[in-house]
Amino acid sequence: MLPKLFFGLVITLAAIFVFLLGLTILVGLLAPFFNTVPVSYNFRSIRARWTSTIVAIVGIAGTVGVFVAMLSLARGFKATMVASGSPGNALVMRAGSSSEMMGGITLETIKHLGDKTGVARDATRGALLTQDVVGVVALPLVSTGTDANVQVRGVSPNVLQIRTFVRIAQGRMFQPGLTELVVGQNASKTYAGLQLGNTITFAGGRWKVVGVFDAGGSAFDSEVWCDSTILNQILQRPSNIFQSATIHLTSPGEFQSFKDAVISDPQMNVDVVREIDYYAKQSTTMTKLITVLGSIVAIIMAVGAVFGALNTMYSAVAERGREIATMRALGFSNLNVLLSFLFEALLISIVGGLIGCLAVLPLNGLTTSTMNFQTFSNLAFAFKITFDLLLMGIVFALVMGVLGGLLPAIRASIRPVAVALRDL
Amino acid sequence: MKFARIIFANLKRKPIRLLLTLGSFAVALLLFSFLAVVRGAFILNDVASANRLIVINRTSIINLIPLSYRDKILRIPGVTYVTHYNWFGGIYQREENFFPQFVIDPENQRQVMPELVVSDDQWNAFLKDRQGAIAGAKTAERFGWKIGDRIPIKTTLYGGGAWEFNLVGIYHGKRPQDDDTQFWFRWDYFEERIPQEVKGQIGWYVLRVKDPDDAPRVAKAIDAEFLNSPNETKTETESTWIANWVKQWGNIQVLILTIGGVVFFTLLLVTGNTMAISVRERTSELAVFKAIGFSDRSVLFFVLAESITISLVGGLTGLLLAKLLMPVLAKGLSSILPILILSWGILGLGLLTALLVGLLSGLLPGLGAMRLRIVNALRRV
Amino acid sequence: MVKVDGSGGNASLIKVRDLDKTYRRGGEEIHVLQGLNLDVDAGEFIAFMGPSGSGKTTLLNLLGGLDVPTRGSITVAGDEITHMSASRLTEWRARHVGFIFQMYNLIPVLTAFQNVELPLLLTKLSKAERRDHVETALSVVGLADRMTHFPRQLSGGQEQRVTIARAIVSDPTFLLCDEPTGDLDRKSADEIMALIEELVGKHSKTVLMVTHDAVVAERANTTLHLDKGVLVEGLQSGPRLTTVGGHA
C-alpha cells in the first residue's frame, strides 16, 4: 500500500512540475505580446554580448543535435525492421519460439495451415504462403574485406506474391530447384561478390546471383533469398522441416479468425503473429540499446548545456545590473523584468534548437549498418528524421532554456534597486 | 605557496558561477568516461589471448561441425589442448533475462580457458554431477543464485523442452575484461537429451597452441585438413576473430568520436567564455596588481592557475562520479554489453583532457590580461 | 625644494627634463605634456592642480613608471626610468613607488591584511617578516583592529586608509596619489589628509598628489598648476605665471 501511495505522489508531483514547466515556457515565449519591456531591448542586449550568447546557443544546439541524431538512428533501425512486415500477412512458427531461427514446423503442418480460413489463394487455388528457412552465412564486406554475417533466407518460389512490396529490380527471380540467388539491394552493395551474374560458394554449394530485388527499405534489403528446399539440402537439415511459414491473408481483417482457427487445432503446436508485429519485436534489443545509450548521452549533455546557459544568463544579469535597476526605478515592475529575461533565455534556446535540428538534418537517409543482435546478421538501415523528432528536439531546447533562464531572471527581478544602482 | 591564497580567494568570488563551471567540467568528464567505456565494450580490447585459435564452420558460426574433428585437430603439431562449445540459447524465466549459455567439454575447459577460475572442489562437484552447471559470478549475482539451486531453462533449439540444472559452481574471470556472465553445463548431458539428427555436432572449437607465433601455420593446417569435406572449417586467432566481430558493429567508433568531439569543443567554448567574462570583470584589479609591481607574466600565471584549478577539480569530480555510477550502468546494460570497464587508462586520459581544456580556456583571457595596459585599465573606472 | 624650470641640481630625488607626451586620437595628435621640467627633493609634499584634460594624471603615471613618455627623461634616486625595459620597470615600481588611487582599488576578495601584504609578496621576506610590516603599516593608518575585515565591511574612509597602508608597507621612495579624497565626504577627506600630512611630517615620506580640490591642495607644501602641458608655479597669493621652459 505504502509504495503505491509513494509512487502515486511522485507521479502527481512530476505531472505538476511538467505542467508548470510547460506553462512557464508558453508564458515566456508569448511575453513580447503583453510585456511592457520592449523586445528590442532583448535583441540589442544579445547583440552587445554576442560571444556569450553564441556560446549558449552552441551548447544547446550540440545537445539537441546529438539527441535528434541518436533517436533518429533508433527510429531508422526500427523502421527498417517494421517495414519488413505487411499487415496482411501472418507469421507462423513453432510454439514458444522467440524468433524464426529457433523454430521448426513440418511440411505437413504447413499444408494444413494453407487449408485454414482467411488464406489468400492464387489463380490455381493454391494457398499463398511461403515456407522459410533462415541461415547465416559469413561473406566478406566490401568496406573492410573481413567477414560479416548475412542472412540467407530460403523461400518458396512464389514468395513475391506473399511479400507483395518486394519486386525484382534487376535480373530475374531464381528458378525452383536450382542453386540460384536473388539478393537484396543493400546486400548487393555491402558484400563482395553479390553482384548480378556472379557465382559464390558457401556451404559446399555454388550459387549464381540471378537477380537483385528492391524490398522497399526493409530488413529484406539486407538479405539473400534462395529456394528453401535447396537451402535445407545444402545445410544438411531435414528436408521437410522449415523454420517459419508466412501466410498471405485475403485481408488484414481476417487475421483474428485465421489465428483462432489455427490455435484451436489440436494437431498444431504453433504461434501465430502478425508479420508486422513479429518484426517490430525483432528490433527491440537494438532499438533499446541505441535509445538507452543515446538518451544517457543526451541527458548528460543537456545538464552541461543547462549549466552553460545558467552561466551565460547569470553573467548577463550581473553585467546589466545598472540597466535593470534603472528600468525598475523608472517604473517597470518585477514581473516585467522577469518576463523579459525569461523571453531572452527562451529565444536563445529556440535558436539553438533550430540550429541543432538543421545541423543533423543532412543525416536523414544516410545509411549505415550494424549487427542485429537478435538475428546475428548484418543489417543496413538509415537515419530516419521525422517531423515529430524535430519537434521533440525543439521542446528539449526550450526546456533547457527555461531551466537555464528562470533562476537568473528571478534574480534580476528581485534585486533591490538601491543596491543595484550603488553597484556602479 | 604564498600566491595560493590569492588564487583561491579569486575562485570564491562568484560561488554560483564557480559551481556551474565545475559542474560543466564534471558533466563533460562523466560523458567522456561513459563514451570511452561503451567504446571499450564494443571494441573488446585485450580480451583475446595470443595463444588461442577458434575453429568454426566455414559457412557461418551458426552452422555446426562434427565432434569427430577434434581428434584430427589434436593430431596437428603445435596444438596442446582442444575444447568445444555449443550455443544453447535458452530462456531463464523471461526473455529479457538473457545471458549466454554454453555446452562445454569439462575435460579440457580449464586448460584452454585458464583465466576463468573455478575452485577445485566446485569443479570436482561439476565433474561428478551430470546435471551440474557452473555460472559466472555476474549472472549468479544478478539472479541471486546460490550453490545448490536448481536452475530451470527452456529452449526451442535442439528439439525444445524444459531443462533443469544443479548449480554446483561459480566462476570468476581473473582480469576485469573477462566475461563473468556465462552459464556452463556438460556436453554428455546435452548429448543424451538432444534428438538423434543433431547429435555428435558442436558449435565451435577453441584450442591452445604451444607457441603463439606458430598460430598462423596451425590455422592453415586445420583448414587444409577439412577442405572439400561436407563441413569445411575456418580457423582464426582469437584476436582476429574478435576484431572481425567488432567490425560487424559498424561505425561505432566514428559515432563515438563525433560525439566526443562535439562535447569537447562545446566545453572549451563554455569554460573559455566563463574565464573571459571573469577576467573582464577584474580588469581594474589586475591593473592594480601590475601597478604594485607584479610582472605581466605573473598575471598570466594567476589566470591560468585559476582555470587549471577549476578544470582539475571539476574533472576529478566527473571522473569520480563516473567510477561510482559505472556499476549501476553495468547492471542496467549487462544483457547487451557485458563488459564495461572504467580502466585507469581512461581515467588518466580524461584527467589529461580536462587539464588541456583548463589550459586552453585560460590562455586567451590570460594573454589578454598579461598585455593589459595599466593606464587604460585604471582609467576604465 | 621644488623647481619647475630645470635648474635643480643633482641632489634632487626626482628629476624631470624636457618631458613630452603625445597621444593619437582619431588621426589627430594631442600634445598633453610639452617640454615639462621638474625637480623634487626628498620629503616634499606637492599638489598638482589643473582643469580636466590638462594632463595631471598623465604626469603622475609617467612619474610612477606606468607609462612611457614620447620624449624626455625622468630620473628617480639616480635611476633613469624612461629607457628601462618593461620588466625592469615593473621591478623598479615595486621597490620605489607607492600608489594611492581615487577608487581605492582594493581587491574585494582579500582581507585588509592580505591587501596590504600584496606588495610584500614580491619580496623575499618570510611570512613572519611580512606580518610584521603589515601590522606596522596598519597601525600607522590606525586600522590595526580591522585587519581581518573585507573591503565591503569597511567605510569609504577606512578603505582609503587601507590603500595608504598598502602604499607604504614596502617603504617606497615616494608616494603618488591620484585624487585620494575624490570619493569621500568632507570629514573622511580631512582624516585622510591628516594622515598623509603625518606621513610627510613624522615619517619623512615624499608625496606627489593630484587633486582638483583647492582645500585639499592647501595641505600640501607646494602647489603646481598644470595647464595644457605647461607647469606653472602657484604662490600663496595666487598663481603667478612663470615660464616653465618651452612654451609660455
Side-chain angles (χ1 to χ4, degrees):
Chain A
M1 237 285 270
L2 201 59
K4 255 207 179 136
L5 204 68
F6 177 71
F7 197 57
L9 192 70
V10 168
I11 295 279
T12 316
L13 283 176
I16 294 179
F17 177 71
V18 168
F19 174 70
L20 286 176
L21 205 69
L23 194 67
T24 313
I25 293 178
L26 207 62
V27 167
L29 281 176
L30 293 175
F33 295 108
F34 58 85
N35 203 17
T36 46
V37 179
V39 175
S40 53
Y41 167 67
N42 295 114
F43 285 126
R44 258 183 283 120
S45 309
I46 289 179
R47 224 166 29 139
R49 305 181 63 251
W50 61 273
T51 39
S52 297
T53 310
I54 297 227
V55 166
I57 289 180
V58 167
I60 293 184
T63 309
V64 169
V66 165
F67 175 74
V68 171
M70 299 236 60
L71 281 190
S72 69
L73 199 64
R75 286 270 179 103
F77 186 83
K78 182 152 187 200
T80 304
M81 293 300 289
V82 170
S84 316
S86 318
N89 286 357
L91 193 82
V92 180
M93 300 178 290
R94 184 189 25 222
S97 313
S98 54
S99 85
E100 287 179 289
M101 302 191 71
M102 308 245 195
I105 41 179
T106 61
L107 192 56
E108 212 179 302
T109 309
I110 296 176
K111 282 213 175 77
H112 285 316
L113 281 172
D115 294 333
K116 297 293 179 203
T117 123
V119 177
R121 297 186 175 280
D122 63 14
T124 66
R125 303 289 304 156
L128 279 180
L129 57 84
T130 168
Q131 52 236 27
D132 288 4
V133 174
V134 175
V136 163
V137 168
L139 290 178
L141 290 168
V142 167
S143 54
T144 62
T146 54
D147 284 354
N149 292 332
V150 60
Q151 184 125 304
V152 174
R153 180 183 294 271
V155 295
S156 304
N158 63 344
V159 65
L160 294 180
Q161 293 182 293
I162 291 104
R163 299 197 168 107
T164 51
F165 58 90
V166 179
R167 50 172 207 91
I168 300 285
Q170 298 170 38
R172 59 169 175 81
M173 187 58 174
F174 62 78
Q175 281 190 326
L178 296 182
T179 54
E180 292 185 340
L181 304 174
V182 290
V183 305
Q185 53 189 0
N186 273 334
S188 180
K189 282 187 267 188
T190 314
Y191 296 91
L194 286 186
Q195 284 74 46
L196 188 58
N198 275 4
T199 306
I200 62 169
T201 314
F202 65 83
R206 289 175 59 77
W207 304 76
K208 183 146 185 247
V209 180
V210 297
V212 176
F213 64 82
D214 174 351
S218 68
F220 297 135
D221 273 323
S222 302
E223 288 184 357
V224 169
W225 290 358
C226 62
D227 185 328
S228 52
T229 321
I230 298 294
L231 192 62
N232 257 347
Q233 278 178 26
I234 300 276
L235 293 180
Q236 295 161 33
R237 296 165 43 95
S239 58
N240 66 333
I241 299 190
F242 299 87
Q243 285 175 315
S244 70
T246 305
I247 324 269
H248 190 58
L249 302 169
T250 49
S251 85
E254 287 292 321
F255 175 76
Q256 199 52 48
S257 42
F258 172 75
K259 178 171 178 175
D260 292 338
V262 172
I263 297 291
S264 57
D265 186 333
Q267 287 189 321
M268 297 202 211
N269 187 24
V270 295
D271 282 341
V272 182
V273 290
R274 273 195 209 273
E275 198 188 17
I276 217 171
D277 293 335
Y278 170 74
Y279 280 105
K281 194 150 168 271
Q282 289 301 298
S283 71
T284 47
T285 311
M286 265 316 266
T287 310
K288 186 162 82 154
L289 178 67
I290 300 177
T291 308
V292 167
L293 288 181
S295 305
I296 293 179
V297 168
I299 288 177
I300 297 180
M301 281 190 79
V303 173
V306 168
F307 281 165
L310 277 170
N311 245 343
T312 305
M313 289 310 293
Y314 271 127
S315 303
V317 169
E319 263 186 41
R320 282 140 76 175
R322 205 186 316 175
E323 297 166 29
I324 300 170
T326 312
M327 281 198 294
R328 303 249 324 274
L330 285 176
F332 290 100
S333 73
N334 297 35
L335 192 62
N336 293 137
V337 171
L338 188 148
L339 285 176
S340 177
F341 273 91
L342 188 61
F343 171 72
E344 194 169 315
L346 289 173
L347 183 67
I348 292 177
S349 63
I350 235 189
V351 169
L354 282 169
I355 293 182
C357 287
L358 283 172
V360 293
L361 215 48
L363 284 178
N364 193 23
L366 187 73
T367 47
T368 181
S369 74
T370 188
M371 186 165 55
N372 183 1
F373 230 36
Q374 282 169 289
T375 63
F376 259 159
S377 58
N378 210 280
L379 183 69
F381 61 103
F383 282 87
K384 184 165 188 223
I385 303 181
T386 54
F387 185 68
D388 67 312
L389 219 56
L390 293 173
L391 212 62
M392 280 167 74
I394 301 283
V395 170
F396 191 31
L398 284 172
V399 171
M400 284 192 279
V402 83
L403 289 176
L406 190 61
L407 284 177
I410 292 178
R411 173 185 269 210
S413 63
I414 64 175
R415 241 160 126 208
V417 180
V419 171
L421 280 176
R422 194 154 54 97
D423 258 0
L424 293 178
Chain B
M1 252 267 268
K2 51 188 178 180
F3 297 119
R5 232 176 323 147
I6 302 179
I7 299 173
F8 281 130
N10 263 325
L11 286 173
K12 286 186 293 176
R13 184 182 298 265
K14 285 221 164 94
I16 297 185
R17 186 164 69 199
L18 178 67
L19 279 174
L20 288 175
T21 317
L22 284 175
S24 301
F25 263 106
V27 158
L29 262 307
L30 181 64
L31 188 60
F32 170 86
S33 312
F34 176 71
L35 290 173
V37 164
V38 169
R39 173 180 171 270
F42 280 113
I43 294 194
L44 299 170
N45 274 337
D46 302 331
V47 172
S49 168
N51 58 0
R52 283 203 292 254
L53 295 173
I54 302 194
V55 184
I56 62 168
N57 189 317
R58 173 164 289 280
T59 305
S60 87
I61 187 163
I62 308 286
N63 299 67
L64 304 174
I65 18 181
L67 181 62
S68 56
Y69 282 15
R70 182 181 60 186
D71 293 335
K72 298 202 185 119
I73 294 177
L74 262 172
R75 278 202 285 270
I76 297 192
V79 176
T80 51
Y81 294 101
V82 178
T83 189
H84 54 81
Y85 298 91
N86 289 59
W87 174 265
F88 192 58
I91 300 177
Y92 172 68
Q93 294 173 349
R94 289 193 320 268
E95 243 181 280
E96 302 84 70
N97 290 348
F98 170 79
F99 54 89
Q101 303 131 30
F102 298 121
V103 183
I104 68 167
D105 155 34
E107 225 182 284
N108 293 295
Q109 165 72 7
R110 302 222 281 183
Q111 286 83 337
V112 179
M113 301 285 233
E115 70 269 21
L116 303 176
V117 175
V118 186
S119 78
D120 283 335
D121 7 291
Q122 287 181 356
W123 188 254
N124 287 333
F126 182 61
L127 291 175
K128 287 210 196 84
D129 184 353
R130 284 165 68 84
Q131 275 194 301
I134 299 184
K138 274 209 189 103
T139 300
E141 197 189 310
R142 182 172 162 205
F143 299 114
W145 291 342
K146 296 202 198 17
I147 308 281
D149 282 353
R150 200 141 167 90
I151 316 287
I153 298 192
K154 285 201 315 270
T155 180
T156 49
L157 295 171
Y158 307 115
W163 299 50
E164 281 193 346
F165 305 96
N166 303 319
L167 191 68
V168 296
I170 295 185
Y171 80 81
H172 302 261
K174 270 201 220 150
R175 316 166 297 177
Q177 62 265 41
D178 289 324
D179 182 8
D180 275 358
T181 63
Q182 298 172 20
F183 181 88
W184 306 334
F185 63 96
R186 291 167 50 151
W187 162 255
D188 50 358
Y189 181 59
F190 174 74
E191 263 291 87
E192 71 178 39
R193 287 201 53 166
I194 55 178
Q196 187 58 41
E197 313 84 76
V198 283
K199 278 200 215 282
Q201 302 189 70
I202 59 104
W204 64 95
Y205 290 103
V206 180
L207 55 105
R208 247 176 81 175
V209 289
K210 193 150 67 177
D211 177 6
D213 294 329
D214 215 9
R217 176 195 64 78
V218 172
K220 278 211 188 78
I222 295 177
D223 290 340
E225 174 77 34
F226 302 109
L227 196 62
N228 298 322
S229 73
N231 292 294
E232 293 186 334
T233 59
K234 182 149 170 251
T235 311
E236 287 171 322
T237 60
E238 200 180 24
S239 45
T240 311
W241 161 253
I242 289 183
N244 290 345
W245 177 261
V246 164
K247 284 210 187 89
Q248 294 195 60
W249 284 105
N251 283 330
I252 298 289
Q253 287 244 56
V254 173
L255 199 66
I256 293 183
L257 282 176
T258 311
I259 298 178
V262 169
V263 171
F264 188 81
F265 176 69
T266 310
L267 180 67
L268 200 64
L269 218 58
V270 168
T271 40
N273 189 54
T274 310
M275 287 306 298
I277 292 179
S278 94
V279 168
R280 205 166 45 215
E281 287 171 355
R282 286 186 279 149
T283 328
S284 55
E285 280 175 41
L286 291 168
V288 166
F289 271 95
K290 288 208 202 182
I292 290 178
F294 282 83
S295 70
D296 290 344
R297 219 172 298 163
S298 62
V299 169
L300 172 66
F301 164 75
F302 283 140
V303 173
L304 278 178
E306 267 180 57
S307 66
I308 291 184
T309 307
I310 295 179
S311 66
L312 265 178
V313 174
L316 280 170
T317 311
L319 292 173
L320 189 69
L321 261 172
K323 200 119 184 102
L324 288 173
L325 289 175
M326 208 43 69
V328 176
L329 183 73
K331 250 205 189 124
L333 290 175
S334 64
S335 55
I336 319 172
L337 295 174
I339 302 178
L340 290 173
I341 316 167
L342 188 56
S343 67
W344 287 112
I346 294 180
L347 291 172
L349 187 63
L351 202 63
L352 223 63
T353 311
L355 265 172
L356 186 68
V357 175
L359 189 71
L360 285 175
S361 64
L363 201 61
L364 264 176
L367 286 174
M370 184 173 90
R371 296 206 209 101
L372 195 63
R373 291 211 62 219
I374 307 174
V375 285
N376 293 338
L378 286 177
R379 220 206 326 250
R380 246 189 247 183
V381 171
Chain C
M1 195 177 43
V2 178
K3 288 223 190 272
V4 294
D5 54 8
S7 64
N10 283 335
S12 322
L13 180 67
I14 301 174
K15 199 162 75 172
V16 181
R17 292 282 178 272
D18 261 324
L19 202 64
D20 272 10
K21 182 67 185 174
T22 309
Y23 290 116
R24 295 199 77 88
R25 198 159 293 163
E28 262 187 54
E29 274 196 349
I30 302 178
H31 304 277
V32 186
L33 302 176
Q34 303 174 86
L36 191 142
N37 295 314
L38 181 63
D39 284 88
V40 178
D41 283 343
E44 289 287 344
F45 183 1
I46 305 177
F48 293 103
M49 289 194 68
S52 69
S54 53
K56 311 191 293 292
T57 304
T58 308
L59 178 60
L60 220 63
N61 287 342
L62 288 167
L63 291 174
L66 291 179
D67 201 357
V68 181
T70 317
R71 221 180 46 203
S73 78
I74 303 174
T75 313
V76 176
D79 293 320
E80 221 283 18
I81 67 172
T82 36
H83 294 115
M84 274 190 190
S85 68
S87 50
R88 270 223 65 204
L89 199 55
T90 308
E91 279 172 37
W92 174 86
R93 223 173 26 242
R95 279 206 3 248
H96 292 275
V97 189
F99 288 99
I100 299 166
F101 302 110
Q102 172 180 3
M103 294 305 293
Y104 332 139
N105 289 36
L106 293 177
I107 313 291
V109 296
L110 299 175
T111 61
F113 181 96
Q114 290 164 334
N115 265 292
V116 174
E117 196 191 18
L118 222 45
L120 298 179
L121 294 178
L122 294 163
T123 66
K124 295 203 182 12
L125 295 174
S126 73
K127 190 158 169 199
E129 285 170 326
R130 293 201 301 267
R131 172 160 270 270
D132 231 9
H133 281 69
V134 172
E135 285 177 356
T136 310
L138 280 170
S139 322
V140 169
V141 305
L143 280 178
D145 55 338
R146 301 277 201 168
M147 274 195 294
T148 53
H149 288 209
F150 287 95
R152 63 174 178 276
Q153 297 167 297
L154 303 172
S155 73
Q158 287 168 331
E159 283 191 74
Q160 192 61 301
R161 281 197 265 166
V162 174
T163 311
I164 295 176
R166 181 179 71 192
I168 61 173
V169 76
S170 51
D171 205 15
T173 308
F174 60 110
L175 299 174
L176 293 176
C177 316
D178 194 345
E179 307 271 13
T181 59
D183 225 43
L184 301 171
D185 60 87
R186 182 52 61 191
K187 178 160 173 295
S188 306
D190 279 345
E191 287 174 4
I192 295 297
M193 288 321 296
L195 183 53
I196 296 183
E197 279 179 322
E198 194 183 303
L199 290 176
V200 176
K202 220 165 87 175
H203 303 275
S204 311
K205 295 282 178 215
T206 312
V207 176
L208 303 179
M209 179 177 72
V210 159
T211 182
H212 66 273
D213 188 340
V215 174
V216 165
E218 291 239 327
R219 305 269 207 154
N221 298 337
T222 315
T223 304
L224 296 174
H225 289 262
L226 192 57
D227 195 11
K228 297 188 179 55
V230 180
L231 257 184
V232 174
E233 214 154 355
L235 302 175
Q236 255 78 355
S237 54
R240 196 155 42 119
L241 278 170
T242 307
T243 60
V244 189
H247 319 50

